[in-house]
PDB file of all heavy atoms in Angstrom:
ATOM      1  N   ASP A  87      13.294   1.714  35.143  1.00 98.00           N
ATOM      2  CA  ASP A  87      12.834   1.667  33.748  1.00 98.00           C
ATOM      3  C   ASP A  87      14.001   1.279  32.840  1.00 98.00           C
ATOM      4  O   ASP A  87      13.789   0.598  31.827  1.00 98.00           O
ATOM      5  CB  ASP A  87      12.281   3.003  33.324  1.00 98.00           C
ATOM      6  CG  ASP A  87      10.948   3.277  33.967  1.00 98.00           C
ATOM      7  OD1 ASP A  87      10.309   2.387  34.495  1.00 98.00           O
ATOM      8  OD2 ASP A  87      10.536   4.474  33.963  1.00 98.00           O
ATOM      9  N   SER A  88      15.187   1.664  33.162  1.00 98.00           N
ATOM     10  CA  SER A  88      16.368   1.440  32.300  1.00 98.00           C
ATOM     11  C   SER A  88      16.733  -0.044  32.193  1.00 98.00           C
ATOM     12  O   SER A  88      17.471  -0.406  31.269  1.00 98.00           O
ATOM     13  CB  SER A  88      17.547   2.259  32.802  1.00 98.00           C
ATOM     14  OG  SER A  88      17.901   1.926  34.151  1.00 98.00           O
ATOM     15  N   VAL A  89      16.328  -0.877  33.169  1.00 98.00           N
ATOM     16  CA  VAL A  89      16.681  -2.308  33.168  1.00 98.00           C
ATOM     17  C   VAL A  89      15.508  -3.220  33.009  1.00 98.00           C
ATOM     18  O   VAL A  89      15.713  -4.454  32.852  1.00 98.00           O
ATOM     19  CB  VAL A  89      17.480  -2.635  34.413  1.00 98.00           C
ATOM     20  CG1 VAL A  89      18.679  -1.689  34.622  1.00 98.00           C
ATOM     21  CG2 VAL A  89      16.612  -2.626  35.658  1.00 98.00           C
ATOM     22  N   ARG A  90      14.295  -2.711  33.118  1.00 98.00           N
ATOM     23  CA  ARG A  90      13.142  -3.592  33.044  1.00 98.00           C
ATOM     24  C   ARG A  90      13.074  -4.311  31.714  1.00 98.00           C
ATOM     25  O   ARG A  90      13.276  -3.764  30.662  1.00 98.00           O
ATOM     26  CB  ARG A  90      11.871  -2.740  33.213  1.00 98.00           C
ATOM     27  CG  ARG A  90      10.577  -3.608  33.322  1.00 98.00           C
ATOM     28  CD  ARG A  90       9.359  -2.732  33.589  1.00 98.00           C
ATOM     29  NE  ARG A  90       9.391  -2.101  34.917  1.00 98.00           N
ATOM     30  CZ  ARG A  90       9.593  -0.828  35.102  1.00 98.00           C
ATOM     31  NH1 ARG A  90       9.759  -0.049  34.099  1.00 98.00           N
ATOM     32  NH2 ARG A  90       9.624  -0.359  36.355  1.00 98.00           N
ATOM     33  N   GLY A  91      12.883  -5.643  31.795  1.00 98.00           N
ATOM     34  CA  GLY A  91      12.883  -6.498  30.601  1.00 98.00           C
ATOM     35  C   GLY A  91      14.224  -7.107  30.309  1.00 98.00           C
ATOM     36  O   GLY A  91      14.259  -8.075  29.536  1.00 98.00           O
ATOM     37  N   ARG A  92      15.273  -6.570  30.926  1.00 98.00           N
ATOM     38  CA  ARG A  92      16.610  -7.133  30.673  1.00 98.00           C
ATOM     39  C   ARG A  92      17.182  -7.747  31.969  1.00 98.00           C
ATOM     40  O   ARG A  92      17.909  -8.737  31.877  1.00 98.00           O
ATOM     41  CB  ARG A  92      17.587  -6.047  30.201  1.00 98.00           C
ATOM     42  CG  ARG A  92      17.197  -5.429  28.883  1.00 98.00           C
ATOM     43  CD  ARG A  92      18.248  -4.448  28.349  1.00 98.00           C
ATOM     44  NE  ARG A  92      18.513  -3.346  29.290  1.00 98.00           N
ATOM     45  CZ  ARG A  92      19.649  -3.074  29.871  1.00 98.00           C
ATOM     46  NH1 ARG A  92      20.741  -3.842  29.626  1.00 98.00           N
ATOM     47  NH2 ARG A  92      19.817  -2.033  30.660  1.00 98.00           N
ATOM     48  N   PHE A  93      16.873  -7.188  33.114  1.00 98.00           N
ATOM     49  CA  PHE A  93      17.361  -7.682  34.370  1.00 98.00           C
ATOM     50  C   PHE A  93      16.269  -8.397  35.126  1.00 98.00           C
ATOM     51  O   PHE A  93      15.066  -8.005  35.067  1.00 98.00           O
ATOM     52  CB  PHE A  93      17.913  -6.553  35.262  1.00 98.00           C
ATOM     53  CG  PHE A  93      19.158  -5.869  34.755  1.00 98.00           C
ATOM     54  CD1 PHE A  93      19.681  -6.120  33.514  1.00 98.00           C
ATOM     55  CD2 PHE A  93      19.803  -4.955  35.550  1.00 98.00           C
ATOM     56  CE1 PHE A  93      20.829  -5.526  33.017  1.00 98.00           C
ATOM     57  CE2 PHE A  93      20.939  -4.323  35.111  1.00 98.00           C
ATOM     58  CZ  PHE A  93      21.465  -4.590  33.858  1.00 98.00           C
ATOM     59  N   THR A  94      16.611  -9.416  35.890  1.00 98.00           N
ATOM     60  CA  THR A  94      15.662 -10.096  36.752  1.00 98.00           C
ATOM     61  C   THR A  94      16.266 -10.320  38.156  1.00 98.00           C
ATOM     62  O   THR A  94      17.364 -10.846  38.288  1.00 98.00           O
ATOM     63  CB  THR A  94      15.301 -11.478  36.148  1.00 98.00           C
ATOM     64  OG1 THR A  94      14.776 -11.319  34.850  1.00 98.00           O
ATOM     65  CG2 THR A  94      14.277 -12.184  37.020  1.00 98.00           C
ATOM     66  N   ILE A  95      15.544  -9.881  39.155  1.00 98.00           N
ATOM     67  CA  ILE A  95      15.976 -10.080  40.520  1.00 98.00           C
ATOM     68  C   ILE A  95      15.235 -11.300  41.090  1.00 98.00           C
ATOM     69  O   ILE A  95      14.050 -11.500  40.834  1.00 98.00           O
ATOM     70  CB  ILE A  95      15.723  -8.840  41.433  1.00 98.00           C
ATOM     71  CG1 ILE A  95      16.397  -8.996  42.788  1.00 98.00           C
ATOM     72  CG2 ILE A  95      14.244  -8.502  41.525  1.00 98.00           C
ATOM     73  CD1 ILE A  95      16.421  -7.710  43.610  1.00 98.00           C
ATOM     74  N   SER A  96      15.937 -12.111  41.823  1.00 97.00           N
ATOM     75  CA  SER A  96      15.375 -13.325  42.424  1.00 97.00           C
ATOM     76  C   SER A  96      16.043 -13.572  43.768  1.00 97.00           C
ATOM     77  O   SER A  96      17.013 -12.900  44.147  1.00 97.00           O
ATOM     78  CB  SER A  96      15.547 -14.533  41.495  1.00 97.00           C
ATOM     79  OG  SER A  96      16.911 -14.786  41.246  1.00 97.00           O
ATOM     80  N   ARG A  97      15.534 -14.586  44.472  1.00 95.00           N
ATOM     81  CA  ARG A  97      16.110 -14.885  45.777  1.00 95.00           C
ATOM     82  C   ARG A  97      16.078 -16.384  46.021  1.00 95.00           C
ATOM     83  O   ARG A  97      15.280 -17.102  45.459  1.00 95.00           O
ATOM     84  CB  ARG A  97      15.291 -14.201  46.916  1.00 95.00           C
ATOM     85  CG  ARG A  97      13.833 -14.719  47.030  1.00 95.00           C
ATOM     86  CD  ARG A  97      13.046 -13.909  47.991  1.00 95.00           C
ATOM     87  NE  ARG A  97      11.672 -14.480  48.125  1.00 95.00           N
ATOM     88  CZ  ARG A  97      10.711 -13.896  48.763  1.00 95.00           C
ATOM     89  NH1 ARG A  97      10.893 -12.685  49.323  1.00 95.00           N
ATOM     90  NH2 ARG A  97       9.541 -14.494  48.855  1.00 95.00           N
ATOM     91  N   ASP A  98      16.996 -16.815  46.868  1.00 92.00           N
ATOM     92  CA  ASP A  98      17.017 -18.206  47.351  1.00 92.00           C
ATOM     93  C   ASP A  98      16.999 -18.069  48.887  1.00 92.00           C
ATOM     94  O   ASP A  98      18.067 -17.827  49.472  1.00 92.00           O
ATOM     95  CB  ASP A  98      18.266 -18.905  46.870  1.00 92.00           C
ATOM     96  CG  ASP A  98      18.303 -20.356  47.235  1.00 92.00           C
ATOM     97  OD1 ASP A  98      17.656 -20.765  48.251  1.00 92.00           O
ATOM     98  OD2 ASP A  98      18.973 -21.163  46.553  1.00 92.00           O
ATOM     99  N   ASN A  99      15.854 -18.269  49.446  1.00 86.00           N
ATOM    100  CA  ASN A  99      15.719 -18.076  50.917  1.00 86.00           C
ATOM    101  C   ASN A  99      16.560 -19.034  51.725  1.00 86.00           C
ATOM    102  O   ASN A  99      17.095 -18.694  52.775  1.00 86.00           O
ATOM    103  CB  ASN A  99      14.232 -18.202  51.287  1.00 86.00           C
ATOM    104  CG  ASN A  99      13.363 -17.097  50.811  1.00 86.00           C
ATOM    105  OD1 ASN A  99      13.837 -15.943  50.638  1.00 86.00           O
ATOM    106  ND2 ASN A  99      12.113 -17.381  50.566  1.00 86.00           N
ATOM    107  N   ALA A 100      16.721 -20.280  51.217  1.00 87.00           N
ATOM    108  CA  ALA A 100      17.516 -21.253  51.936  1.00 87.00           C
ATOM    109  C   ALA A 100      18.980 -20.836  52.018  1.00 87.00           C
ATOM    110  O   ALA A 100      19.644 -21.208  52.989  1.00 87.00           O
ATOM    111  CB  ALA A 100      17.382 -22.621  51.250  1.00 87.00           C
ATOM    112  N   LYS A 101      19.473 -20.082  51.022  1.00 89.00           N
ATOM    113  CA  LYS A 101      20.845 -19.628  50.996  1.00 89.00           C
ATOM    114  C   LYS A 101      21.010 -18.172  51.497  1.00 89.00           C
ATOM    115  O   LYS A 101      22.096 -17.637  51.487  1.00 89.00           O
ATOM    116  CB  LYS A 101      21.417 -19.788  49.630  1.00 89.00           C
ATOM    117  CG  LYS A 101      21.491 -21.223  49.089  1.00 89.00           C
ATOM    118  CD  LYS A 101      22.097 -21.275  47.717  1.00 89.00           C
ATOM    119  CE  LYS A 101      22.198 -22.701  47.243  1.00 89.00           C
ATOM    120  NZ  LYS A 101      22.755 -22.773  45.858  1.00 89.00           N
ATOM    121  N   ASN A 102      19.902 -17.559  51.849  1.00 91.00           N
ATOM    122  CA  ASN A 102      19.906 -16.140  52.259  1.00 91.00           C
ATOM    123  C   ASN A 102      20.651 -15.305  51.216  1.00 91.00           C
ATOM    124  O   ASN A 102      21.444 -14.453  51.532  1.00 91.00           O
ATOM    125  CB  ASN A 102      20.578 -15.964  53.635  1.00 91.00           C
ATOM    126  CG  ASN A 102      19.849 -16.669  54.725  1.00 91.00           C
ATOM    127  OD1 ASN A 102      18.601 -16.609  54.781  1.00 91.00           O
ATOM    128  ND2 ASN A 102      20.560 -17.299  55.615  1.00 91.00           N
ATOM    129  N   THR A 103      20.288 -15.522  49.947  1.00 95.00           N
ATOM    130  CA  THR A 103      20.997 -14.913  48.825  1.00 95.00           C
ATOM    131  C   THR A 103      19.988 -14.344  47.862  1.00 95.00           C
ATOM    132  O   THR A 103      18.954 -14.979  47.576  1.00 95.00           O
ATOM    133  CB  THR A 103      21.898 -15.904  48.139  1.00 95.00           C
ATOM    134  OG1 THR A 103      22.882 -16.395  49.068  1.00 95.00           O
ATOM    135  CG2 THR A 103      22.606 -15.266  46.949  1.00 95.00           C
ATOM    136  N   VAL A 104      20.261 -13.171  47.308  1.00 96.00           N
ATOM    137  CA  VAL A 104      19.512 -12.557  46.228  1.00 96.00           C
ATOM    138  C   VAL A 104      20.426 -12.525  45.004  1.00 96.00           C
ATOM    139  O   VAL A 104      21.645 -12.370  45.142  1.00 96.00           O
ATOM    140  CB  VAL A 104      18.918 -11.201  46.572  1.00 96.00           C
ATOM    141  CG1 VAL A 104      17.887 -11.321  47.691  1.00 96.00           C
ATOM    142  CG2 VAL A 104      20.033 -10.203  46.910  1.00 96.00           C
ATOM    143  N   TYR A 105      19.810 -12.568  43.826  1.00 98.00           N
ATOM    144  CA  TYR A 105      20.544 -12.562  42.574  1.00 98.00           C
ATOM    145  C   TYR A 105      20.006 -11.481  41.659  1.00 98.00           C
ATOM    146  O   TYR A 105      18.895 -11.041  41.760  1.00 98.00           O
ATOM    147  CB  TYR A 105      20.419 -13.926  41.875  1.00 98.00           C
ATOM    148  CG  TYR A 105      20.806 -15.103  42.706  1.00 98.00           C
ATOM    149  CD1 TYR A 105      19.870 -15.796  43.438  1.00 98.00           C
ATOM    150  CD2 TYR A 105      22.136 -15.536  42.739  1.00 98.00           C
ATOM    151  CE1 TYR A 105      20.233 -16.878  44.213  1.00 98.00           C
ATOM    152  CE2 TYR A 105      22.514 -16.607  43.487  1.00 98.00           C
ATOM    153  CZ  TYR A 105      21.565 -17.252  44.255  1.00 98.00           C
ATOM    154  OH  TYR A 105      21.923 -18.370  45.023  1.00 98.00           O
ATOM    155  N   LEU A 106      20.884 -11.023  40.799  1.00 98.00           N
ATOM    156  CA  LEU A 106      20.488 -10.142  39.747  1.00 98.00           C
ATOM    157  C   LEU A 106      20.995 -10.679  38.461  1.00 98.00           C
ATOM    158  O   LEU A 106      22.202 -10.665  38.149  1.00 98.00           O
ATOM    159  CB  LEU A 106      21.028  -8.708  39.959  1.00 98.00           C
ATOM    160  CG  LEU A 106      20.539  -7.650  38.942  1.00 98.00           C
ATOM    161  CD1 LEU A 106      19.048  -7.380  39.150  1.00 98.00           C
ATOM    162  CD2 LEU A 106      21.340  -6.375  39.070  1.00 98.00           C
ATOM    163  N   GLN A 107      20.091 -11.280  37.659  1.00 98.00           N
ATOM    164  CA  GLN A 107      20.443 -11.772  36.370  1.00 98.00           C
ATOM    165  C   GLN A 107      20.366 -10.614  35.355  1.00 98.00           C
ATOM    166  O   GLN A 107      19.277 -10.040  35.193  1.00 98.00           O
ATOM    167  CB  GLN A 107      19.464 -12.890  35.923  1.00 98.00           C
ATOM    168  CG  GLN A 107      19.737 -13.470  34.552  1.00 98.00           C
ATOM    169  CD  GLN A 107      21.056 -14.191  34.476  1.00 98.00           C
ATOM    170  OE1 GLN A 107      21.410 -14.997  35.314  1.00 98.00           O
ATOM    171  NE2 GLN A 107      21.815 -13.915  33.409  1.00 98.00           N
ATOM    172  N   MET A 108      21.477 -10.336  34.698  1.00 98.00           N
ATOM    173  CA  MET A 108      21.572  -9.224  33.793  1.00 98.00           C
ATOM    174  C   MET A 108      21.794  -9.734  32.377  1.00 98.00           C
ATOM    175  O   MET A 108      22.837 -10.352  32.096  1.00 98.00           O
ATOM    176  CB  MET A 108      22.698  -8.271  34.202  1.00 98.00           C
ATOM    177  CG  MET A 108      22.578  -7.815  35.659  1.00 98.00           C
ATOM    178  SD  MET A 108      23.830  -6.558  36.083  1.00 98.00           S
ATOM    179  CE  MET A 108      25.298  -7.554  35.967  1.00 98.00           C
ATOM    180  N   ASN A 109      20.843  -9.503  31.500  1.00 98.00           N
ATOM    181  CA  ASN A 109      20.939  -9.987  30.107  1.00 98.00           C
ATOM    182  C   ASN A 109      20.953  -8.756  29.182  1.00 98.00           C
ATOM    183  O   ASN A 109      20.584  -7.659  29.579  1.00 98.00           O
ATOM    184  CB  ASN A 109      19.741 -10.871  29.763  1.00 98.00           C
ATOM    185  CG  ASN A 109      19.694 -12.118  30.574  1.00 98.00           C
ATOM    186  OD1 ASN A 109      20.751 -12.720  30.932  1.00 98.00           O
ATOM    187  ND2 ASN A 109      18.491 -12.609  30.873  1.00 98.00           N
ATOM    188  N   SER A 110      21.389  -8.992  27.953  1.00 98.00           N
ATOM    189  CA  SER A 110      21.427  -7.912  26.964  1.00 98.00           C
ATOM    190  C   SER A 110      22.129  -6.702  27.471  1.00 98.00           C
ATOM    191  O   SER A 110      21.652  -5.557  27.366  1.00 98.00           O
ATOM    192  CB  SER A 110      20.007  -7.574  26.491  1.00 98.00           C
ATOM    193  OG  SER A 110      19.352  -8.724  25.952  1.00 98.00           O
ATOM    194  N   LEU A 111      23.282  -6.906  28.101  1.00 98.00           N
ATOM    195  CA  LEU A 111      23.982  -5.801  28.721  1.00 98.00           C
ATOM    196  C   LEU A 111      24.469  -4.781  27.707  1.00 98.00           C
ATOM    197  O   LEU A 111      24.828  -5.090  26.587  1.00 98.00           O
ATOM    198  CB  LEU A 111      25.168  -6.337  29.510  1.00 98.00           C
ATOM    199  CG  LEU A 111      24.807  -6.999  30.829  1.00 98.00           C
ATOM    200  CD1 LEU A 111      25.932  -7.897  31.354  1.00 98.00           C
ATOM    201  CD2 LEU A 111      24.446  -5.929  31.881  1.00 98.00           C
ATOM    202  N   LYS A 112      24.430  -3.515  28.144  1.00 98.00           N
ATOM    203  CA  LYS A 112      24.828  -2.363  27.340  1.00 98.00           C
ATOM    204  C   LYS A 112      25.989  -1.655  28.019  1.00 98.00           C
ATOM    205  O   LYS A 112      26.177  -1.743  29.236  1.00 98.00           O
ATOM    206  CB  LYS A 112      23.664  -1.411  27.167  1.00 98.00           C
ATOM    207  CG  LYS A 112      22.401  -2.016  26.624  1.00 98.00           C
ATOM    208  CD  LYS A 112      21.245  -0.990  26.675  1.00 98.00           C
ATOM    209  CE  LYS A 112      19.947  -1.596  26.121  1.00 98.00           C
ATOM    210  NZ  LYS A 112      18.857  -0.628  26.172  1.00 98.00           N
ATOM    211  N   PRO A 113      26.796  -0.931  27.269  1.00 98.00           N
ATOM    212  CA  PRO A 113      27.900  -0.179  27.885  1.00 98.00           C
ATOM    213  C   PRO A 113      27.415   0.743  28.981  1.00 98.00           C
ATOM    214  O   PRO A 113      28.159   0.931  29.975  1.00 98.00           O
ATOM    215  CB  PRO A 113      28.522   0.592  26.725  1.00 98.00           C
ATOM    216  CG  PRO A 113      28.251  -0.282  25.512  1.00 98.00           C
ATOM    217  CD  PRO A 113      26.875  -0.881  25.785  1.00 98.00           C
ATOM    218  N   GLU A 114      26.246   1.313  28.860  1.00 97.00           N
ATOM    219  CA  GLU A 114      25.721   2.177  29.908  1.00 97.00           C
ATOM    220  C   GLU A 114      25.349   1.497  31.174  1.00 97.00           C
ATOM    221  O   GLU A 114      25.046   2.141  32.205  1.00 97.00           O
ATOM    222  CB  GLU A 114      24.519   3.003  29.369  1.00 97.00           C
ATOM    223  CG  GLU A 114      23.456   2.154  28.731  1.00 97.00           C
ATOM    224  CD  GLU A 114      23.577   2.117  27.210  1.00 97.00           C
ATOM    225  OE1 GLU A 114      24.704   1.951  26.703  1.00 97.00           O
ATOM    226  OE2 GLU A 114      22.555   2.242  26.514  1.00 97.00           O
ATOM    227  N   ASP A 115      25.379   0.124  31.207  1.00 98.00           N
ATOM    228  CA  ASP A 115      25.171  -0.602  32.411  1.00 98.00           C
ATOM    229  C   ASP A 115      26.441  -0.659  33.244  1.00 98.00           C
ATOM    230  O   ASP A 115      26.450  -1.144  34.374  1.00 98.00           O
ATOM    231  CB  ASP A 115      24.730  -2.049  32.100  1.00 98.00           C
ATOM    232  CG  ASP A 115      23.349  -2.044  31.485  1.00 98.00           C
ATOM    233  OD1 ASP A 115      22.446  -1.313  31.933  1.00 98.00           O
ATOM    234  OD2 ASP A 115      23.161  -2.892  30.550  1.00 98.00           O
ATOM    235  N   THR A 116      27.578  -0.212  32.710  1.00 98.00           N
ATOM    236  CA  THR A 116      28.835  -0.237  33.428  1.00 98.00           C
ATOM    237  C   THR A 116      28.734   0.613  34.714  1.00 98.00           C
ATOM    238  O   THR A 116      28.383   1.767  34.660  1.00 98.00           O
ATOM    239  CB  THR A 116      29.949   0.287  32.558  1.00 98.00           C
ATOM    240  OG1 THR A 116      30.136  -0.590  31.405  1.00 98.00           O
ATOM    241  CG2 THR A 116      31.271   0.398  33.354  1.00 98.00           C
ATOM    242  N   ALA A 117      29.057  -0.007  35.844  1.00 98.00           N
ATOM    243  CA  ALA A 117      28.946   0.666  37.136  1.00 98.00           C
ATOM    244  C   ALA A 117      29.416  -0.301  38.207  1.00 98.00           C
ATOM    245  O   ALA A 117      29.618  -1.492  37.966  1.00 98.00           O
ATOM    246  CB  ALA A 117      27.496   1.075  37.429  1.00 98.00           C
ATOM    247  N   VAL A 118      29.542   0.270  39.410  1.00 98.00           N
ATOM    248  CA  VAL A 118      29.693  -0.601  40.563  1.00 98.00           C
ATOM    249  C   VAL A 118      28.297  -0.862  41.102  1.00 98.00           C
ATOM    250  O   VAL A 118      27.474   0.061  41.337  1.00 98.00           O
ATOM    251  CB  VAL A 118      30.531   0.101  41.698  1.00 98.00           C
ATOM    252  CG1 VAL A 118      30.571  -0.762  42.948  1.00 98.00           C
ATOM    253  CG2 VAL A 118      31.909   0.382  41.191  1.00 98.00           C
ATOM    254  N   TYR A 119      28.003  -2.153  41.263  1.00 98.00           N
ATOM    255  CA  TYR A 119      26.653  -2.584  41.707  1.00 98.00           C
ATOM    256  C   TYR A 119      26.716  -2.919  43.176  1.00 98.00           C
ATOM    257  O   TYR A 119      27.580  -3.671  43.622  1.00 98.00           O
ATOM    258  CB  TYR A 119      26.219  -3.800  40.891  1.00 98.00           C
ATOM    259  CG  TYR A 119      25.733  -3.455  39.486  1.00 98.00           C
ATOM    260  CD1 TYR A 119      26.641  -3.014  38.535  1.00 98.00           C
ATOM    261  CD2 TYR A 119      24.401  -3.518  39.164  1.00 98.00           C
ATOM    262  CE1 TYR A 119      26.200  -2.614  37.272  1.00 98.00           C
ATOM    263  CE2 TYR A 119      23.964  -3.168  37.908  1.00 98.00           C
ATOM    264  CZ  TYR A 119      24.877  -2.707  36.961  1.00 98.00           C
ATOM    265  OH  TYR A 119      24.404  -2.365  35.723  1.00 98.00           O
ATOM    266  N   TYR A 120      25.780  -2.344  43.937  1.00 98.00           N
ATOM    267  CA  TYR A 120      25.749  -2.504  45.374  1.00 98.00           C
ATOM    268  C   TYR A 120      24.442  -3.241  45.803  1.00 98.00           C
ATOM    269  O   TYR A 120      23.372  -2.947  45.336  1.00 98.00           O
ATOM    270  CB  TYR A 120      25.755  -1.134  46.069  1.00 98.00           C
ATOM    271  CG  TYR A 120      27.011  -0.347  45.852  1.00 98.00           C
ATOM    272  CD1 TYR A 120      27.126   0.518  44.830  1.00 98.00           C
ATOM    273  CD2 TYR A 120      28.094  -0.507  46.758  1.00 98.00           C
ATOM    274  CE1 TYR A 120      28.277   1.281  44.631  1.00 98.00           C
ATOM    275  CE2 TYR A 120      29.243   0.248  46.566  1.00 98.00           C
ATOM    276  CZ  TYR A 120      29.313   1.125  45.500  1.00 98.00           C
ATOM    277  OH  TYR A 120      30.462   1.845  45.347  1.00 98.00           O
ATOM    278  N   CYS A 121      24.622  -4.179  46.701  1.00 98.00           N
ATOM    279  CA  CYS A 121      23.491  -4.848  47.295  1.00 98.00           C
ATOM    280  C   CYS A 121      23.026  -4.023  48.472  1.00 98.00           C
ATOM    281  O   CYS A 121      23.802  -3.461  49.234  1.00 98.00           O
ATOM    282  CB  CYS A 121      23.917  -6.230  47.746  1.00 98.00           C
ATOM    283  SG  CYS A 121      22.573  -7.261  48.420  1.00 98.00           S
TER     284      CYS A 121
END
């Protein structure tokens, strides 16, 4: 709930890669992010 509307998860199957697009970042988003 805290990121819905601001973050978008996507994937590129050809590259075996997932992405997290983070917009409108807030100080409370500060953290270590783990896949």
Side-chain angles (χ1 to χ4, degrees):
D87 290 342
S88 59
V89 307
R90 187 176 293 108
R92 299 187 298 120
F93 292 9
T94 302
I95 188 169
S96 62
R97 67 186 182 191
D98 185 335
N99 291 331
K101 297 181 179 180
N102 297 319
T103 300
V104 296
Y105 304 94
L106 185 68
Q107 179 66 45
M108 305 185 294
N109 298 325
S110 302
L111 283 162
K112 306 174 181 179
E114 50 263 45
D115 294 319
T116 295
V118 177
Y119 283 70
Y120 295 91
C121 184

